[in-house]
Amino acid sequence: MEKKNNPDTIQNSIIYANNAATTWPKPPSVLAAVYKAAAGPYLEQGRTTVQDVPDYLFETRRRLANFFNTRDPDAYVFTAHATDSLNLLIHGFARQEKGPFHVITTLFEHNSVIRPLYELQKTGRISLTVIPPNAEGIIDPDDVSGALRDDTKLGIFSHAGNVIGTVQDISEITRIMDEADIFSIIDGAQSAGQIPIDLSRILCDAFVFTGHKYLFGVPGTGGFFLRSPDQIYPVRQGGTGIDSSSPVQPESMPERFEAGTPNFPGIAGLGAGIAYVQDIGIEAIQTKTMGMISDLIQKLQEINGVSILHEHPQTPLVSFQIPGLDPDDIGYILAKAYRIITRSGLHCAPWVHSRLTEGKGAVRISLSYMNTFEECAQIADAINALCQSE
Amino acid sequence: MEKKNNPDTIQNSIIYANNAATTWPKPPSVLAAVYKAAAGPYLEQGRTTVQDVPDYLFETRRRLANFFNTRDPDAYVFTAHATDSLNLLIHGFARQEKGPFHVITTLFEHNSVIRPLYELQKTGRISLTVIPPNAEGIIDPDDVSGALRDDTKLGIFSHAGNVIGTVQDISEITRIMDEADIFSIIDGAQSAGQIPIDLSRILCDAFVFTGHKYLFGVPGTGGFFLRSPDQIYPVRQGGTGIDSSSPVQPESMPERFEAGTPNFPGIAGLGAGIAYVQDIGIEAIQTKTMGMISDLIQKLQEINGVSILHEHPQTPLVSFQIPGLDPDDIGYILAKAYRIITRSGLHCAPWVHSRLTEGKGAVRISLSYMNTFEECAQIADAINALCQSE
C-alpha cells in the first residue's frame, strides 16, 4: 500500500472530506470575526449602554432573516447546535400538548431527532410513523399524506440527508402539514448553505440550522427560525436580562428561548459565515461542489470493489462500502495512510443505515466549497489503491 | 458634570467593571486558544483518527479535574453556560422523581435557578423553601437543617452571590445535605476562579461552573461536575458519536449529557483560561481583587449620598444606590459620561433584590484580576462627581 510523505503541517497535508460533520477550513473572515468578538470588550449587547461595539446577536439575526428571506430578525433563536434546537422544539411542542399525539417523520432522521422522539415514545407521549424513501432516496409527499391521522400533531422532516445526500420536497411536505394544521419542523442542518432556501415560500412552522456546517461558522452555534412562538413551550428557563422580576420566561422573542449568556464570539462568526456564503452565492457554491462530487462518484464507479450507497446525491456527499472491509477500517486506513479525513460508521443516522447497510455502516466522503477537484482525484486514487491492495 | 475625552479605541478608554456578568479583557492565551481551535482542522476529537490535533475536550476536562481536585476528567460535562447546566441538572433530577418533592434553596439564587424551580413549582412537581440570609448576608447552616422535611429531595445553593458578594459555607451545607441523603447542587458561577474550591472535600452531588466569568473563557461555555450520573436523567437527547444504533442516550459519561457537536473553540479557550488562573494562583488573584474592592468600598463610604448594599463582600463586587436616582440612570451616566461599565438593575436575582432594594435594583461594580487600583480610584471619583452634580 502506497504511503504518502508527511509534510510539515497537518493543514497542508490532509484532505478534509468530513464536511457534513463540520466544515473545514473556515473562511478567514469567520475566524477574524470570532476573534474580534472574543477579544471584546463585552458590553450590553441588545441593551447597549455604550454604542461602540457591534450588537453581534442582532447583526447575525438580521443576516439570517436576509439569507432565509423572512422579515423579523427576532424570529431567529440562537442555540448551542442543531441538537439543542431540535430538543427545544420537540420537547417544547410536546410540553404544550395535554394528551398523547401522533408524529410523522422520515427514515432519514439523525439521532438528534430520533432520540428525543424515542424519549417521548417510550413514555407514551407520542406514537410515531416513520416514512421510508422510495428507491431514489426521496420521501414521496403522498406517503406523508397517507400517514396523516386524526391525532397527528407534529411532523419532523430532514431536508437533506447526511448519509446519501438526497433533498426532500419540503415545500410540498410542509404544504400538506399546513393544510392539515400540523406543526412542522424542518431539520436544515445539512441543507442550509448548500441549497437555496426561501422560508417565505416554505410553510414550515420551524426551521432548524446549525452554524458549523455549511454556514461556515464554528462549533457551538446553531439555532432555529420559529413562526409562532406560542406553539412551543420554553423548556429551558433562566436569566434573560429582561423582565428579571418575573419567575417565568419572557414571552417576547427571542428571549423566550434564549436564557443564559449567548455565545457572542460564535454568533459573530456565524454572521461572517453567512456573509461568506452570500458573497459567493449558493448557485456558485452548488456548481462547484456538485461538479466535484459528480467527478468523484464517476471515478469511484470505475473502481472494482467499491459499492456506492446512492449514486445521485443532491448535496456533495457520497457514502460507500468495500465488501469484505469494515467501514471503520477503511476510514482508519484513509486517515493514517493517505491523510484523507472521512467519517465512517452510522453517521448518527441508524434508521437509514439499518435499511441501506443492514446497520453495518459505511464510509462517507462529504465535500464543501473549500475542497478542490484535485483533492477529489486524490481521494479516488487512494480508494483505488486501497481496493487493489486487498 | 465632567466629561472625559474619547480616546481612539474603546479598549483604551473604558473602565470595565461588569466582570460578574462576563470577565473582560480575556487573557491573550485564551484568545489564541480559541482562534487555534476554531482554525482547526476538525478531526475526530475523543475518537481520534489522526493524532496531530489536540483533543481539546479531554485536555480541558483534565484541567478541570486538576483545578477542582477530583480524579475522573469524565465527571465534567460541557454545556453552553451555567444556565444550561442548571436546567439539565434541575429538570434531569425532577424527571427521575415519580411524585412531588420538596426543594431547599436560598434567597441568593439567580434566575437560572429561580425560573426552572418555578416551572416545577407551578406544575405541582415541587414545593419550595427559600432560606434568607442573616444580617451579614450569610445563609446559616442551621436554617438549612431546620428546613429539612421528610420529602426533601433536592438542595440548590449559590456559592457566591452576584449582588452582594458573600460566600456561603457550602462545606457545611452539603454535609447536612449528604447526611440527610439529599441531592445537592452548588451554583459556582460566581465562585469558580475567585476562591479556592476543592471538590474532593465538598460533599455536593453536582457543581455548576460557567466558562466566561472568572475562569476567563469566552461566552458559550460552561459545564458541571457530577458525582453520580445515574441520579440525573438526560433530558437532552441526540447524537453522541457512540452507540449510534441505540435510540437512547448512552449511559457513559460524559456522553450521557453531551449530545450534539461540542463547542471546540470555546472549550479550548476555557482550558487556557483555567491555566491562566492556575498560573497566577487563586490566592494571588484574591489578594489583588479583594484589595481593590476594599479600597473602592472605603472610598464609596466617604461619599455623601452613596448607599452600599453590603460593605463586606468576599468576592470583588459592590452594589450601591444613590437615593433619588434610578439605578439604570446611574449606570447610563457612568457609561456615557465616564465610560465606566457597570451593571444596573436586578442582576437576574429578583429575590435578593426584593429583600435588599425592595425590587428597585442597584448598580453593581464587579472587578476581576484584570482591573487596577487606579481604575478603582477613577470609579470612586466618577461616582463622587455624579453625587456632587445632583
Side-chain angles (χ1 to χ4, degrees):
Chain A
M1 192 186 302
E2 183 197 28
K3 187 156 190 239
K4 285 200 171 185
N5 292 327
N6 263 6
D8 287 85
T9 65
I10 317 164
Q11 282 82 346
N12 294 331
S13 71
I14 67 169
I15 293 175
Y16 186 81
N18 189 23
N19 292 283
T22 296
T23 51
W24 182 82
K26 302 300 181 188
S29 58
V30 168
L31 299 177
V34 170
Y35 189 90
K36 186 186 169 203
Y42 294 90
L43 305 181
E44 298 217 3
Q45 305 276 350
R47 30 202 148 114
T48 313
T49 53
V50 172
Q51 298 284 357
D52 319 78
V53 170
D55 184 339
Y56 298 115
L57 306 187
F58 190 71
E59 294 287 313
T60 299
R61 273 189 246 280
R62 197 155 57 183
R63 198 165 275 283
L64 281 161
N66 177 266
F67 184 66
F68 289 121
N69 197 29
T70 64
R71 284 194 345 196
D72 181 11
D74 286 338
Y76 292 83
V77 169
F78 294 119
T79 65
H81 33 54
T83 300
D84 191 18
S85 302
L86 286 159
N87 272 266
L88 289 174
L89 289 167
I90 294 170
H91 291 308
F93 182 85
R95 174 72 173 69
Q96 301 271 58
E97 289 294 320
K98 297 226 185 311
F101 60 99
H102 176 239
V103 180
I104 298 175
T105 190
T106 83
L107 199 79
F108 287 115
E109 306 310 315
H110 187 272
N111 268 336
S112 54
V113 170
I114 294 173
R115 285 177 170 171
L117 287 180
Y118 183 75
E119 167 70 18
L120 294 171
Q121 192 181 27
K122 76 177 180 187
T123 52
R125 296 283 291 117
I126 66 166
S127 56
L128 190 60
T129 297
V130 179
I131 300 176
N134 64 19
E136 282 74 45
I138 299 297
I139 300 293
D140 188 334
D142 285 346
D143 290 344
V144 175
S145 293
L148 291 178
R149 300 188 341 202
D150 286 348
D151 64 341
T152 307
K153 298 280 179 69
L154 177 64
I156 309 179
F157 305 94
S158 166
H159 191 185
N162 74 330
V163 179
I164 64 168
T166 50
V167 172
Q168 307 309 327
D169 183 358
I170 58 167
S171 292
E172 179 58 15
I173 290 171
T174 57
R175 198 197 56 72
I176 294 165
M177 294 284 111
D178 185 64
E179 203 172 87
D181 201 21
I182 295 166
F183 192 91
S184 63
I185 301 172
I186 300 299
D187 177 1
Q190 294 290 335
S191 62
Q194 297 241 62
I195 52 182
I197 297 169
D198 181 346
L199 292 183
S200 76
R201 293 166 165 276
I202 297 168
L203 296 173
C204 61
D205 293 291
F207 183 90
V208 168
F209 58 90
T210 189
H212 67 110
K213 299 191 199 282
Y214 303 98
L215 298 177
F216 286 104
V218 295
T221 58
F224 57 85
F225 164 78
L226 182 60
R227 228 176 277 274
S228 303
D230 59 355
Q231 291 191 269
I232 302 291
Y233 193 88
V235 292
R236 181 163 60 222
Q237 304 92 27
T240 46
I242 65 165
D243 294 344
S244 291
S245 61
S246 166
V248 300
Q249 210 55 16
E251 293 195 1
S252 62
M253 285 285 278
E255 293 84 3
R256 182 174 170 87
F257 301 104
E258 286 188 2
T261 303
N263 181 350
F264 294 117
I267 291 166
L270 175 57
I274 299 169
Y276 174 84
V277 170
Q278 289 185 308
D279 286 350
I280 298 169
I282 292 274
E283 291 73 15
I285 288 174
Q286 277 190 299
T287 301
K288 180 182 174 188
T289 59
M290 294 313 293
M292 290 189 293
I293 202 73
S294 296
D295 267 22
L296 177 59
I297 289 173
Q298 205 178 339
K299 289 191 172 75
L300 293 181
Q301 286 168 330
E302 292 164 8
I303 302 173
N304 254 336
V306 169
S307 169
I308 297 173
L309 261 55
H310 185 78
E311 303 191 335
H312 305 287
Q314 293 157 288
T315 63
L317 66 83
V318 60
S319 296
F320 68 96
Q321 298 174 309
I322 300 175
L325 276 186
D326 185 305
D328 286 342
D329 291 341
I330 303 170
Y332 184 82
I333 295 168
L334 287 174
K336 289 293 177 188
Y338 299 93
R339 301 185 75 77
I340 294 168
I341 310 302
T342 62
R343 176 65 57 94
S344 63
L346 300 181
H347 311 105
C348 291
W351 286 348
V352 66
H353 266 290
S354 122
R355 183 181 174 102
L356 296 180
T357 71
E358 294 174 331
K360 290 176 183 156
V363 180
R364 180 185 67 198
I365 299 164
S366 53
L367 308 175
S368 89
Y369 186 76
M370 301 293 190
N371 286 108
T372 64
F373 283 85
E374 169 60 21
E375 286 179 327
C376 293
Q378 291 177 351
I379 293 171
D381 286 348
I383 294 169
N384 185 46
L386 199 155
C387 285
Q388 305 315 315
S389 70
E390 288 305 311
Chain B
M1 191 187 305
E2 183 198 27
K3 187 156 189 237
K4 287 199 167 182
N5 292 328
N6 264 6
D8 288 83
T9 64
I10 317 164
Q11 282 84 344
N12 294 332
S13 72
I14 65 168
I15 293 176
Y16 185 81
N18 189 24
N19 291 282
T22 295
T23 50
W24 183 81
K26 302 300 181 188
S29 59
V30 168
L31 299 177
V34 170
Y35 189 89
K36 186 186 168 202
Y42 295 89
L43 305 182
E44 299 217 2
Q45 305 276 348
R47 28 199 150 115
T48 314
T49 54
V50 171
Q51 299 284 359
D52 319 79
V53 170
D55 184 339
Y56 299 114
L57 306 187
F58 190 71
E59 294 287 312
T60 300
R61 270 188 248 279
R62 199 154 56 182
R63 198 165 273 284
L64 281 160
N66 177 266
F67 184 67
F68 290 121
N69 196 29
T70 64
R71 283 193 348 193
D72 181 12
D74 286 339
Y76 292 83
V77 168
F78 294 119
T79 66
H81 33 53
T83 300
D84 192 17
S85 302
L86 287 159
N87 273 266
L88 289 174
L89 289 167
I90 294 170
H91 291 307
F93 182 86
R95 174 71 172 70
Q96 301 271 58
E97 291 293 321
K98 298 227 184 308
F101 59 101
H102 177 239
V103 180
I104 298 175
T105 191
T106 82
L107 199 80
F108 288 114
E109 305 311 315
H110 186 272
N111 268 335
S112 54
V113 170
I114 295 173
R115 284 176 171 170
L117 288 181
Y118 183 76
E119 167 69 19
L120 295 171
Q121 190 181 29
K122 76 175 181 188
T123 51
R125 296 282 293 117
I126 65 166
S127 56
L128 190 60
T129 297
V130 179
I131 300 176
N134 63 20
E136 282 74 45
I138 299 297
I139 300 293
D140 187 336
D142 286 347
D143 289 347
V144 175
S145 293
L148 291 178
R149 300 187 342 200
D150 286 348
D151 63 341
T152 308
K153 297 280 179 71
L154 177 63
I156 310 179
F157 305 93
S158 166
H159 191 186
N162 74 329
V163 179
I164 64 167
T166 51
V167 172
Q168 307 308 328
D169 183 359
I170 59 165
S171 293
E172 179 58 15
I173 290 171
T174 57
R175 197 196 58 72
I176 294 166
M177 294 286 112
D178 186 63
E179 203 172 86
D181 202 20
I182 295 165
F183 192 92
S184 64
I185 301 171
I186 300 299
D187 177 1
Q190 294 291 334
S191 62
Q194 297 241 61
I195 52 181
I197 296 169
D198 180 346
L199 292 182
S200 76
R201 294 166 165 275
I202 297 168
L203 296 173
C204 62
D205 292 292
F207 183 90
V208 168
F209 57 90
T210 188
H212 67 110
K213 299 192 199 280
Y214 302 97
L215 297 178
F216 287 103
V218 295
T221 57
F224 57 84
F225 164 78
L226 182 60
R227 228 176 276 275
S228 303
D230 59 356
Q231 290 190 269
I232 302 291
Y233 192 89
V235 292
R236 181 162 61 220
Q237 304 91 25
T240 46
I242 66 164
D243 294 344
S244 292
S245 60
S246 167
V248 299
Q249 210 57 15
E251 293 194 359
S252 61
M253 285 284 278
E255 293 83 4
R256 182 173 170 88
F257 301 104
E258 286 188 1
T261 301
N263 181 350
F264 295 116
I267 292 166
L270 175 57
I274 300 170
Y276 174 83
V277 170
Q278 290 185 307
D279 286 350
I280 298 170
I282 292 273
E283 291 73 15
I285 289 174
Q286 276 190 300
T287 301
K288 180 182 176 189
T289 58
M290 294 313 293
M292 290 189 294
I293 203 74
S294 296
D295 268 24
L296 177 59
I297 289 173
Q298 204 178 339
K299 290 191 171 75
L300 293 181
Q301 285 168 329
E302 292 163 7
I303 302 172
N304 254 338
V306 169
S307 168
I308 297 173
L309 262 53
H310 184 76
E311 301 191 335
H312 305 288
Q314 293 157 286
T315 62
L317 67 81
V318 60
S319 295
F320 68 95
Q321 298 174 309
I322 299 175
L325 276 185
D326 186 304
D328 285 343
D329 290 343
I330 302 171
Y332 185 82
I333 294 168
L334 287 174
K336 288 293 176 189
Y338 299 93
R339 302 185 75 76
I340 293 169
I341 310 302
T342 62
R343 176 67 57 93
S344 63
L346 300 181
H347 310 106
C348 291
W351 287 348
V352 66
H353 267 291
S354 121
R355 183 181 173 102
L356 295 180
T357 71
E358 292 174 331
K360 289 175 183 159
V363 180
R364 181 185 66 197
I365 299 165
S366 54
L367 308 175
S368 89
Y369 186 76
M370 302 292 191
N371 287 107
T372 63
F373 283 85
E374 168 60 22
E375 286 178 327
C376 293
Q378 292 178 350
I379 293 170
D381 286 348
I383 294 169
N384 186 44
L386 198 156
C387 284
Q388 304 316 315
S389 71
E390 287 307 309

